[in-house]
Amino acid sequence: MKIAVLTSGGDSAGMNAVVRAVVKVGILKGCEAWVVREGYEGLVRGNTEALSEQAIDDEPINLPDNASTDGSNFNLIHNLRFGDGDLLKDGTGDHPGTRSLKGRYIVRVGFDDVRGWFAEGGTLIGTARSKTFRTAEGRLQAAYNMIKEGIDALVVCGGDGSLTGADVFRAEWPKLIESLQSEGRITAEKAKLHAHLRIVGLVGSIDNDMSMTDLTIGAPTALHRICEAIDNINSTASSHSRAFVLEVMGRHCGWLALLAGVSGGADFIFIPERPPTSESWEDEMCDCIHRHREVGKRKTIVIVSEGAIDRNLNPIKADHVKDVLTERLGLDTRVTTLGHTQRGGRPCAYDRVLPTLQGMEAVEALLEATPTSPSYMIGIRENKITRVPLMEAVEMTRAVSSAIEAKDFEKAMSFRDPEFKESFEGFLKISTLDHEKVPEEQRMRIAIMHMGAPAGGMNAATRAAVRYCIRHGHTPIAVHNGFRGLLDDEIHELSWLGVDSWTARGGSELGTNRMLPSVDLGAIASKFQEHQFHGLLMIGGFEAFSSLLILEEGRKHYPAFHIPMVHLPATISNNVPMTEWSLGSDTSLNALVDACDAIKQSASASRNRVFVVETQGGKCGYIATVGALATGASLVYTPEQGIDLDTLRRDVRFLKTRYTLDAKGRSEGRLVIKNEVASQVYTTDVMQKMLKEEGGTLFDARSASLGHTLQGGVPSPMDRARAVRLSIKCMAFLEREHIKLLKQPSKARHATPDSAAVIIIQSSSLKWVPVQEMVAHADMKNRRGNNPWWAGIKELAETLAGRPQLIGLHAKDLAQI
């Protein structure tokens, strides 16, 4: 099969990761891989130059007959490169010269031609909105160009318009073939050979506006760009006591504005799906912001989606919002339109991992496609890569716009994923100084504590919990430095304004340590009683899980522990049992990606060099494993698999083979990701020295230990948004369980095991698991969960580096290549 991939419509970060994945996986599956430059327009233009003079590599790779009998090995070697990768990547492809892409829009590419692409923003193969392809004549020419090159499968990455075009193209394909044959442009043999067009779509859109998928390619990176801007604006806004109005993209979908509002600590947002409830949005906004200013807030951030409307469908523009704030509240107001900066920049970690997994699924869908199967869109639902009928997704997406036009905003919200509505409700609870106080007898004193190592999102979760408490009339009590601080009475009451700027702060504002309550359980119970705690929120990793287990068991002896208690997982290791995500894990992955991009650049610039990069993670290999996929590492070592001498021998052989097959005279840096405790014997230093010795003249080796840099830095928007969502759910849980206890006699209150629980994320759903039940799913000795969802990613990352295919080649075979 010959598979072509094109990117169409607007560009978005992660599109290059899609192209890379489709090309590499297609070749590993025994197919030929092609790219179409300039989207559908390139498909219509086709190739007008003689390919024979330009598409030849420096020297063809000829594998000896006895070197390999495996089909994937053979296909990889003979599709290793065709020499156009650099032309596509550095932008010189359209310039005339000895090698050029001028006049060539459908280009065959090899395994190495796309390496390193997923670290680049935008789309290296170009994109365009083609008017020609919308005509019958244009699609006829596109079909001819595909058949001319022998291509029978197409992957399209774009928005709903691009995917609709893909479905129309496939539906018309039989008629197009018939027309080409009747005109004599193709033979009957070719018509029969290309009777069936396989086609699949992936959604590349920074707006996250496609239904039937939880997240679109490019949206997480765009959110990163917006939050970076908000974080920068916050400091100058506070300094000058200014108001800033930010306009972000989102013509028909308010996802970016909403998540930016949650993650950036905005005061007010305008989105298409949920306009302000009052007829006069100006009054509603000014009332809200005036209350914030009255309590002493020095900065105001209002976020406006470009498609924002009021309840009568009149557009709401950033300049008008500025005028209202200036004239009615007398605020010194500025407008910032972020524009296309939201599209740019290097992809974040999630926009490397997600497109890679979707690109792999796209190839599988093409290989399994039949003439009767529908055109599929590859999406993600509940943290699982899915296939859905393409046109069903497009139709539901357009139904959102129809619902908005009909002023049925509830229906419009229902068409978004469940997280969208929860995020909006969460924003209202933590951003506005309103009160929904519960009856006085139900009000609580809630202790908030950080446990274990610091993780991005801890402070955002605390801020959300504090503001929820104050809104409902509860008293939020900060416990500094964990259980050690509790024993030393290091506690104080938190305020609404005091936590205002905590969203973007890394580390732990409350302080944290690893001390467990078992150090003096009786004294801990005494402090619970002395400070009259009615509920406990612990934000942390495996230590918080262990502490909750100790406290729940301590209920047998200490009545003070008969209060609702909850653990919100927050650890960069992502080692809390049962949950797929912990706060801080996304921030840590992004820190790893940033560091490895710089390391790889240094490794390539110096000479052929392998860097052994050591990550944190304890005895859980999450950071190393998923980080390897996100950084394009060649090898990864984790505690779960361990390291032995045979593995090291094979891996050294693979690296030698890999460097032998590289184009002569071109430097290539490669990464080996190693968890800090993957082996007590084969340490990072030992591995670096071994690789340096074995590399000889082929490659050098260095090591880098990232250490605590993975714990620090500004929390990622994904971690901030998750922190708010989970924290609000935790507060609601404590309230419910407290009301249950109040129904019991005051002197004989007995909390049930369900009231000491861990909030977990499974798929996109939030669930409560009693801490005692968690033990069955935990490896208590190694402090990690059993059967994590990411266990198979190690093999996948190494497969995309070509390790399984190249490891069997021997030196005598390579000498003949």
Side-chain angles (χ1 to χ4, degrees):
M1 183 189 297
K2 295 185 179 182
I3 300 175
V5 56
L6 66 84
T7 53
S8 178
D11 65 309
S12 61
M15 281 184 163
N16 290 321
V18 169
V19 176
R20 171 183 176 269
V22 170
V23 168
K24 288 200 166 195
V25 174
I27 289 171
L28 292 175
K29 293 287 185 179
C31 305
E32 287 183 12
W34 299 66
V35 296
V36 180
R37 301 172 58 225
E38 311 303 333
Y40 287 122
E41 187 65 23
L43 207 59
V44 174
R45 293 181 184 180
N47 294 328
T48 57
E49 298 293 325
L51 302 185
S52 58
E53 297 178 5
Q54 299 186 33
I56 301 174
D57 195 10
D58 330 322
E59 228 175 275
I61 298 173
N62 297 311
L63 192 66
D65 294 336
N66 63 347
S68 172
T69 57
D70 185 278
S72 61
N73 294 17
F74 180 89
N75 201 63
L76 173 58
I77 294 296
H78 288 277
N79 286 275
L80 196 60
R81 59 181 174 270
F82 296 98
D84 291 322
D86 289 341
L87 299 181
L88 289 162
K89 189 174 182 179
D90 63 22
T92 61
D94 286 324
H95 291 266
T98 54
R99 293 185 62 81
S100 173
L101 294 173
K102 193 172 179 63
R104 296 168 55 209
Y105 291 91
I106 305 176
V107 182
R108 188 176 179 185
V109 291
F111 196 83
D112 281 358
D113 288 328
V114 295
R115 65 185 176 191
W117 278 29
F118 67 160
E120 304 283 342
T123 169
L124 294 174
I125 62 175
T127 183
R129 303 183 192 277
S130 175
K131 293 182 179 179
T132 313
F133 187 77
R134 295 175 187 172
T135 66
E137 295 77 10
R139 292 191 290 275
L140 185 67
Q141 183 62 35
Y144 171 73
N145 289 331
M146 286 183 63
I147 294 171
K148 179 182 174 184
E149 305 302 336
I151 295 167
D152 47 12
L154 186 63
V155 176
V156 177
C157 183
D160 60 344
S162 301
L163 300 188
T164 300
D167 191 71
V168 170
F169 192 42
R170 189 200 177 196
E172 292 181 352
W173 187 260
K175 292 182 179 178
L176 296 174
I177 295 295
E178 186 180 335
S179 297
L180 290 172
Q181 185 180 357
S182 64
E183 293 173 9
R185 300 177 70 184
I186 62 172
T187 63
E189 183 181 358
K190 281 196 173 182
K192 183 178 180 181
L193 187 64
H194 292 278
H196 171 216
L197 173 64
R198 296 175 173 87
I199 204 162
V200 68
L202 293 92
V203 191
S205 168
I206 70 167
D207 295 343
N208 198 28
D209 55 355
M210 181 64 74
S211 296
M212 301 182 73
T213 182
D214 293 341
L215 205 58
T216 59
I217 296 165
T221 299
L223 184 60
H224 271 252
R225 299 291 91 82
I226 295 169
C227 287
E228 286 167 2
I230 294 174
D231 292 346
N232 293 334
I233 284 172
N234 266 325
S235 57
T236 187
S238 182
S239 299
H240 294 273
S241 192
R242 279 181 179 150
F244 274 84
V245 182
L246 273 76
E247 182 184 288
V248 302
M249 288 186 173
R251 190 173 297 113
H252 303 295
C253 179
W255 187 85
L256 283 176
L258 172 57
L259 270 291
V262 172
S263 305
D267 294 84
F268 208 85
I269 61 171
F270 294 98
I271 60 174
E273 296 90 342
R274 183 59 66 85
T277 54
S278 64
E279 287 296 326
S280 173
W281 62 263
E282 293 93 341
D283 292 343
E284 186 175 338
M285 177 185 71
C286 289
D287 288 346
C288 172
I289 292 171
H290 179 66
R291 289 196 300 272
H292 296 175
R293 288 282 174 164
E294 274 193 321
V295 298
K297 191 171 184 184
R298 289 180 53 83
K299 62 186 179 184
T300 297
I301 302 291
V302 177
I303 301 178
V304 182
S305 177
E306 63 178 326
I309 52 175
D310 64 17
R311 298 198 69 80
N312 297 314
L313 307 184
N314 299 310
I316 297 174
K317 297 299 181 184
D319 286 329
H320 182 47
V321 175
K322 167 189 174 291
D323 293 340
V324 172
L325 292 174
T326 302
E327 294 167 9
R328 294 201 184 185
L329 298 180
L331 298 177
D332 182 7
T333 310
R334 300 288 189 272
V335 172
T336 299
T337 302
L338 297 183
H340 286 75
T341 60
Q342 296 159 86
R343 292 190 181 278
R346 295 182 302 115
C348 67
Y350 205 79
D351 263 330
R352 302 183 189 204
V353 173
L354 176 62
T356 299
L357 298 175
Q358 290 183 322
M360 294 181 61
E361 183 66 19
V363 174
E364 294 289 346
L366 291 175
L367 292 172
E368 296 170 10
T370 66
T372 57
S373 61
S375 302
Y376 283 116
M377 180 192 82
I378 308 300
I380 181 169
R381 299 295 297 271
E382 300 186 342
N383 204 34
K384 300 291 185 294
I385 304 300
T386 60
R387 301 179 196 176
V388 296
L390 191 153
M391 288 314 296
E392 282 187 27
V394 171
E395 287 167 7
M396 185 174 288
T397 300
R398 292 175 177 171
V400 177
S401 298
S402 299
I404 292 173
E405 290 173 7
K407 300 183 182 180
D408 191 346
F409 302 112
E410 285 298 327
K411 188 174 183 180
M413 290 288 282
S414 70
F415 283 143
R416 299 295 182 204
D417 66 271
E419 277 191 54
F420 189 94
K421 188 173 182 180
E422 284 187 9
S423 295
F424 183 80
E425 292 170 350
F427 173 79
L428 295 180
K429 287 184 180 297
I430 66 169
S431 66
T432 57
L433 191 55
D434 291 329
H435 295 291
E436 299 174 353
K437 293 187 177 181
V438 300
E440 190 168 350
E441 64 275 10
Q442 295 179 8
R443 295 177 190 174
M444 308 169 66
R445 288 173 55 84
I446 299 178
I448 304 172
M449 179 188 300
H450 295 176
M451 289 287 297
M458 279 183 160
N459 296 321
T462 304
R463 175 182 183 268
V466 168
R467 291 196 161 182
Y468 183 99
C469 283
I470 293 171
R471 185 185 185 96
H472 287 241
H474 306 306
T475 304
I477 306 295
V479 179
H480 295 271
N481 303 316
F483 286 102
R484 177 76 272 163
L486 178 61
L487 291 173
D488 294 337
D489 290 321
E490 296 176 4
I491 72 169
H492 83 278
E493 184 177 335
L494 291 163
S495 67
W496 189 92
L497 190 59
V499 297
D500 183 56
S501 60
W502 285 23
T503 300
R505 293 185 187 178
S508 167
E509 288 294 305
L510 299 185
T512 180
N513 62 50
R514 299 179 185 275
M515 179 184 285
L516 301 180
S518 54
V519 65
D520 192 341
L521 197 57
I524 297 293
S526 175
K527 292 297 181 182
F528 271 48
Q529 188 171 0
E530 177 185 342
H531 297 295
Q532 298 179 345
F533 293 155
H534 300 123
L536 172 65
L537 169 63
M538 287 190 292
I539 305 171
F542 208 88
E543 290 84 2
F545 164 64
S546 300
S547 296
L548 184 59
L549 187 62
I550 292 168
L551 293 174
E552 202 281 331
E553 291 174 345
R555 286 173 169 175
K556 300 172 185 175
H557 309 288
Y558 302 103
F561 296 145
H562 283 280
I563 60 173
M565 298 180 286
V566 63
H567 168 210
L568 196 169
T571 165
I572 69 169
S573 306
N574 201 23
N575 63 336
V576 175
M578 297 186 73
T579 190
E580 295 178 355
W581 304 103
S582 298
L583 299 186
S585 59
D586 186 66
T587 300
S588 182
L589 276 182
N590 279 285
L592 176 64
V593 163
D594 290 343
C596 286
D597 281 354
I599 287 170
K600 201 168 185 179
Q601 185 182 71
S602 169
S604 296
S606 303
R607 55 166 293 194
N608 290 340
R609 179 171 286 173
V610 175
F611 258 91
V612 183
V613 179
E614 180 181 290
T615 72
Q616 287 192 329
K619 294 185 179 180
C620 178
Y622 170 81
I623 297 175
T625 302
V626 182
L629 187 65
T631 59
S634 299
L635 299 166
V636 55
Y637 300 106
T638 66
E640 287 85 353
Q641 281 78 30
I643 307 173
D644 58 35
L645 196 55
D646 288 339
T647 299
L648 291 175
R649 286 196 186 103
R650 289 193 295 269
D651 290 344
V652 168
R653 188 186 309 137
F654 158 65
L655 288 172
K656 287 183 175 181
T657 302
R658 183 60 272 205
Y659 274 104
T660 300
L661 292 172
D662 278 349
K664 305 304 178 187
R666 296 181 184 175
S667 296
E668 176 67 19
R670 289 189 168 88
L671 299 176
V672 174
I673 307 289
K674 177 185 174 294
N675 173 279
E676 59 188 343
V677 293
S679 172
Q680 298 298 324
V681 176
Y682 301 109
T683 63
T684 301
D685 185 54
V686 168
M687 291 183 66
Q688 180 261 320
K689 290 177 179 177
M690 179 192 68
L691 291 173
K692 182 179 176 64
E693 179 70 19
E694 294 293 329
T697 59
L698 280 174
F699 60 87
D700 189 15
R702 293 286 189 275
S703 64
S705 178
L706 301 184
H708 287 74
T709 61
L710 298 180
Q711 291 182 3
V714 177
S716 73
M718 300 296 282
D719 272 334
R720 300 188 211 180
R722 282 192 188 121
V724 171
R725 184 183 180 211
L726 293 172
S727 186
I728 289 174
K729 292 288 186 182
C730 287
M731 290 297 101
F733 172 83
L734 293 177
E735 283 183 324
R736 289 195 306 270
E737 294 300 324
H738 180 62
I739 291 172
K740 290 180 184 177
L741 281 174
L742 290 177
K743 294 177 180 178
Q744 299 179 20
S746 58
K747 293 185 178 180
R749 285 176 182 164
H750 188 277
T752 63
D754 291 350
S755 65
V758 182
I759 187 170
I760 65 169
I761 304 176
Q762 287 189 343
S763 300
S764 64
S765 303
L766 301 183
K767 300 179 181 179
W768 297 101
V769 181
V771 66
Q772 292 287 356
E773 291 183 18
M774 296 278 285
V775 176
H777 301 273
D779 181 346
M780 299 298 289
K781 178 181 178 182
N782 292 309
R783 294 163 48 85
R784 63 193 183 212
N786 298 324
N787 306 315
W789 65 269
W790 45 266
I793 287 182
K794 168 180 161 61
E795 181 182 355
L796 169 58
E798 293 180 343
T799 297
L800 290 174
R803 179 184 180 274
Q805 290 72 27
L806 299 179
I807 203 168
L809 296 178
H810 298 288
K812 63 179 182 179
D813 300 323
L814 296 172
Q816 301 177 55
I817 295 178

